Amino acid sequence: MNNSGYDQKNEQGAALVMTLLFMAALGLLSAALVFTVQAEMQSSTSFKYSQQAFHVANAGVQKSVEWFVDSYTPHLPAADYDGTTLPVQYSGSSALLAGQTGSSSSYPEAAVVTSFSGALRNQSLQADAKNSGTYAVNATLLKYTPTTFIDLATLIPYPSAMERWQINSTGYWGSVAKPLGISQITAMIENSGNALFDRALWGINSVTLGGTVVIDSYDPALGPYGGSNIGNMGAIGSNGSVSANGNISVMGDLAFGPAGSYTHTGNATVSGDIIQLSTPHYFPPVPAFGVGTTNYTVNNHGSLTLNPGSYGSITIQGTLQLHPGTYYIDQMTEGAQGTLEILNEPGTTTIFVKSALNLSGQGVVNQGGDPTKLTLIYSGTSEFDMVGGSGFYGEVYAPNATIKLVGNSQFYGAFIGKTVTDGGTPNIHFNEGCLKQNLIQRPFRLITWSQSSY
């Protein structure tokens, strides 16, 4: 019996089934490919929008830094804040400058709130009619440290604060109501300062020490110098060379200049590191200042009290008392029995001396005992001799002159001169509080940031 016709029909039916199955599979693959392409396109579009939103949010961060640098001054007094909390509290709420919808500012100055909101609330960035974004920023105060900065134009200290702010910038690509992409950046910014008086001794050109000298430090927050309050931050430095000849004990680091050297003989020791600077340390010039024409002489055993102001020549044979404030004096000379006394009253005292300065009599009495409250600034070039007396507490800045510390005296604070030398057996105790006051200000800068995009 012949079955060839039957087999051929069966084979044709199987081929049709296989073809239909193949077409179905191909249809499924095509559909899957279409969906995959669509998903990839959506993902790519979403990524594009989120990246555009990120750049908008980043613009908010950069504008925030710019606002803090150009338009913001830390609030005083510090007592308005509760700095023991994180974030810092004002009137029972976190200190906040608000630029985001739904947030309200909690800050002690209305003008600052208005300025921040005007610069950083829902600010639009637009490339063209179809490409635009908006950023909105909140700033939260995380840290507040009262301090004083030095105005480099005048060298007069002024009260301020070092602060750390958390910046929350949200970027919207498209409209805020119906954004195509959202990105959030959390950043930290802070201002800071470098201490002008950051070592016990700075001799810009050189430091030369001989005899028996101890240079150490103490922390005024722990009480007066002595006992357990003796530290190893009595650093010295020079942009030139340092020479120590004798029983010199430096309890701290020693730095010398790029082209300088450190030489020592006898029992000179340095407890910290000995460092050669890669670049010279910067010291601001003393700005030009005017002085008065009225001269005073304080006779032996006599006394005189002056208020802040401008004066000519002052000769001290007795006791000269000064109220806190700023003084501009042409010449100041202290005789053998003379004493300069800074009254223990609220405020700081800055004394500018122009032509000649000599305090080699009975020294200077700073009744408050806080070196950061008394600053002597000498713009002249003649040698400036200084006796510690019962104990000098202050900061001395004489970048054009030689400072000579003489006698068997105790000096508490910091000293900067063109050159620094000693005569006798003075001891220098660096006040670690100098590192926190009278700072050269550094503006707000970005220190950390993190990103979230949607």
Side-chain angles (χ1 to χ4, degrees):
M1 184 174 183
N2 188 354
N3 293 323
S4 60
Y6 176 78
D7 291 341
Q8 185 175 9
K9 290 179 180 180
N10 285 344
E11 290 175 0
Q12 289 175 347
L16 178 60
V17 171
M18 293 298 295
T19 300
L20 291 174
L21 290 174
F22 175 77
M23 293 298 293
L26 185 61
L28 290 173
L29 289 174
S30 298
L33 181 60
V34 169
F35 285 122
T36 300
V37 170
Q38 288 178 338
E40 290 294 329
M41 290 179 64
Q42 290 175 347
S43 177
S44 176
T45 301
S46 177
F47 177 76
K48 180 183 73 171
Y49 289 149
S50 68
Q51 285 299 103
Q52 290 167 327
F54 162 74
H55 291 298
V56 173
N58 188 50
V61 172
Q62 299 305 319
K63 286 294 184 180
S64 298
V65 176
E66 182 179 306
W67 182 86
F68 273 95
V69 170
D70 296 336
S71 305
Y72 174 77
T73 300
H75 172 75
L76 293 173
D80 288 345
Y81 290 125
D82 179 1
T84 64
T85 62
L86 181 67
V88 174
Q89 298 282 304
Y90 169 68
S91 294
S93 300
S94 298
L96 173 69
L97 289 169
Q100 295 182 351
T101 302
S103 299
S104 299
S105 294
S106 175
Y107 189 81
E109 297 179 35
V112 174
V113 171
T114 300
S115 175
F116 184 89
S117 178
L120 296 161
R121 178 182 289 275
N122 292 338
Q123 297 297 301
S124 177
L125 295 176
Q126 187 164 354
D128 53 43
K130 296 183 178 180
N131 293 280
S132 65
T134 300
Y135 61 80
V137 179
N138 279 0
T140 305
L141 182 58
L142 300 182
K143 186 177 181 181
Y144 182 95
T145 305
T147 189
T148 55
F149 291 115
I150 291 179
D151 185 341
L152 293 182
T154 62
L155 290 190
I156 295 176
Y158 60 92
S160 189
M162 291 186 290
E163 296 181 335
R164 178 174 295 172
W165 288 83
Q166 177 176 291
I167 304 298
N168 294 104
S169 177
T170 302
Y172 304 90
W173 187 249
S175 67
V176 176
K178 295 182 178 180
L180 298 172
I182 302 175
S183 182
Q184 293 180 337
I185 295 178
T186 299
M188 301 290 182
I189 67 170
E190 68 177 13
N191 67 337
S192 60
N194 297 326
L196 176 61
F197 297 97
D198 61 346
R199 292 175 181 262
L201 301 178
W202 267 111
I204 298 174
N205 286 3
S206 66
V207 174
T208 302
L209 301 175
T212 301
V213 178
V214 174
I215 305 172
D216 55 20
S217 68
Y218 73 105
D219 185 350
L222 302 178
Y225 172 85
S228 61
N229 194 10
I230 298 178
N232 59 356
M233 296 182 66
I236 67 175
S238 174
N239 285 339
S241 296
V242 177
S243 174
N245 303 305
N247 296 317
I248 312 298
S249 177
V250 177
M251 295 179 62
D253 295 338
L254 183 151
F256 59 93
S261 63
Y262 168 54
T263 59
H264 61 95
T265 61
N267 295 320
T269 60
V270 177
S271 68
D273 296 329
I274 298 175
I275 307 162
Q276 184 169 22
L277 300 173
S278 58
T279 58
H281 192 77
Y282 172 72
F283 297 95
V286 177
F289 59 89
V291 296
T293 57
T294 303
N295 302 325
Y296 288 96
T297 297
V298 186
N299 294 322
N300 194 16
H301 304 299
S303 64
L304 175 68
T305 301
L306 293 178
N307 292 312
S310 299
Y311 301 92
S313 176
I314 297 180
T315 302
I316 309 170
Q317 300 291 346
T319 301
L320 174 64
Q321 294 182 323
L322 300 180
H323 292 290
T326 303
Y327 295 80
Y328 298 94
I329 300 169
D330 185 32
Q331 300 182 41
M332 178 179 286
T333 303
E334 192 177 79
Q337 301 303 314
T339 301
L340 176 62
E341 189 171 329
I342 310 301
L343 297 175
N344 186 17
E345 298 172 348
T348 61
T349 301
T350 303
I351 303 173
F352 289 84
V353 180
K354 188 172 186 178
S355 302
L357 178 61
N358 188 307
L359 297 175
S360 60
Q362 297 300 306
V364 179
V365 177
N366 180 0
Q367 290 183 351
D370 183 350
T372 66
K373 299 295 185 182
L374 172 61
T375 304
L376 288 171
I377 299 175
Y378 176 44
S379 65
T381 59
S382 59
E383 182 175 289
F384 164 31
D385 292 348
M386 188 167 192
V387 170
S390 59
F392 172 82
Y393 292 81
E395 301 169 334
V396 177
Y397 190 63
N400 305 315
T402 294
I403 298 177
K404 187 174 183 180
L405 306 177
V406 300
N408 183 18
S409 305
Q410 307 296 313
F411 294 90
Y412 301 86
F415 302 83
I416 300 173
K418 184 176 183 180
T419 63
V420 175
T421 186
D422 72 308
T425 57
N427 293 324
I428 299 100
H429 313 297
F430 177 64
N431 174 9
E432 295 171 19
C434 294
L435 298 172
K436 303 175 183 178
Q437 302 292 329
N438 296 343
L439 309 179
I440 298 175
Q441 186 173 14
R442 298 180 63 189
F444 281 93
R445 61 191 178 91
L446 186 66
I447 56 173
T448 65
W449 70 274
S450 60
Q451 171 201 357
S452 298
S453 297
Y454 306 95

